[in-house]
Amino acid sequence: MKPVTALAKYLEAYDDQLRTDAETPSAIRVDLLGPLRLVTFAGGRGFITYRDLGDLDGRRIAALVGRVLDHFRADPEITRVEWKSRGHDRAPGLHEALLAHGFLPDEPESIMIGALESLCTDVPMPAGVSLRRISSDADVRAMGAMAQEAFGDPAETRLAEALISRLARNDGMELWVAETDGRMVGAGRLEPVPNTDFAGIWGGATLAAYRGRGIYRALTAARARSALAAGKTLVHSDSTEYSRPILERSGLFKVSTTTPYNWSR
């Protein structure tokens, strides 16, 4: 498949298969507002996504942003909200409307898509490193603490508790870690997407002192093999500039960008 053709086909599959309920399998509630899906997750997190914004103009988009914020403000459990934008969408005035309502943009990430098989080829295991899938509460909490250290985030337990809750629901999510000398040094999450060709790889984190050794790529390959065994054929991921080159070398394509806009109560 030629690169241009592959990009178009992968982006079409992304929009058609993933920008639906399939995007948020762990939601505890979903409300519809025009073209938007307003999602509530465990742990006090709100999330906005959509297939597209149709022919809405800037005035109507700004009004939607205000109604979205009213919706989440009305739930006292919600402490933070993410609006997930995509670079290939037609969305006049969205950036300005989000800023006006107190949303702040994070760094854009690359939407990466490709064949799962490409992630499993020629991936050596780094010396002294072992990989395993985890499920115990203690391991999940340790993984969460390690990931926060890797990303430089403040220590808190909400993410770990949300992951523990999801594992109890057995919704298909898998958690994988890399260890060396008895210490967790890397981690990642696998999200097989029901009723699609896709599995998502998320949350890739490696402690700074252990980067550049192939740990991230080995964790990615382990998750890809697990997804292939479950019958999936395509992989998607929102990647930072750290992980994007690794995935490109493994045969994935950058089909667009996504920028999260975040609001905190």
Side-chain angles (χ1 to χ4, degrees), residues 141-228:
R141 292 190 179 100
M143 184 200 78
M146 184 279 301
Q148 287 163 356
E149 180 183 349
F151 289 127
D153 293 336
E156 53 95 7
T157 62
R158 286 180 300 182
L159 175 59
E161 297 305 321
L163 292 175
I164 289 169
S165 177
R166 286 194 60 191
L167 287 172
R169 295 201 301 272
N170 193 29
D171 64 6
M173 177 190 70
E174 298 179 11
L175 302 177
W176 289 78
V177 298
E179 296 171 311
T180 184
D181 298 325
R183 181 186 186 188
M184 285 187 188
V185 298
R189 193 170 80 249
L190 176 69
E191 299 268 9
V193 184
N195 305 312
T196 75
D197 300 320
F198 283 95
I201 51 174
W202 303 99
T206 307
L207 292 176
Y210 295 87
R211 292 172 188 165
R213 303 186 188 184
I215 292 173
Y216 174 87
R217 191 177 180 201
L219 274 168
T220 299
R223 288 177 284 170
R225 293 187 192 102
S226 183
L228 283 168

Side-chain angles (χ1 to χ4, degrees), residues 82-97:
E82 175 188 335
W83 184 299
K84 186 179 179 70
S85 71
R86 275 82 166 192
H88 63 287
D89 283 348
R90 176 192 172 278
L94 177 61
H95 171 77
E96 292 78 10

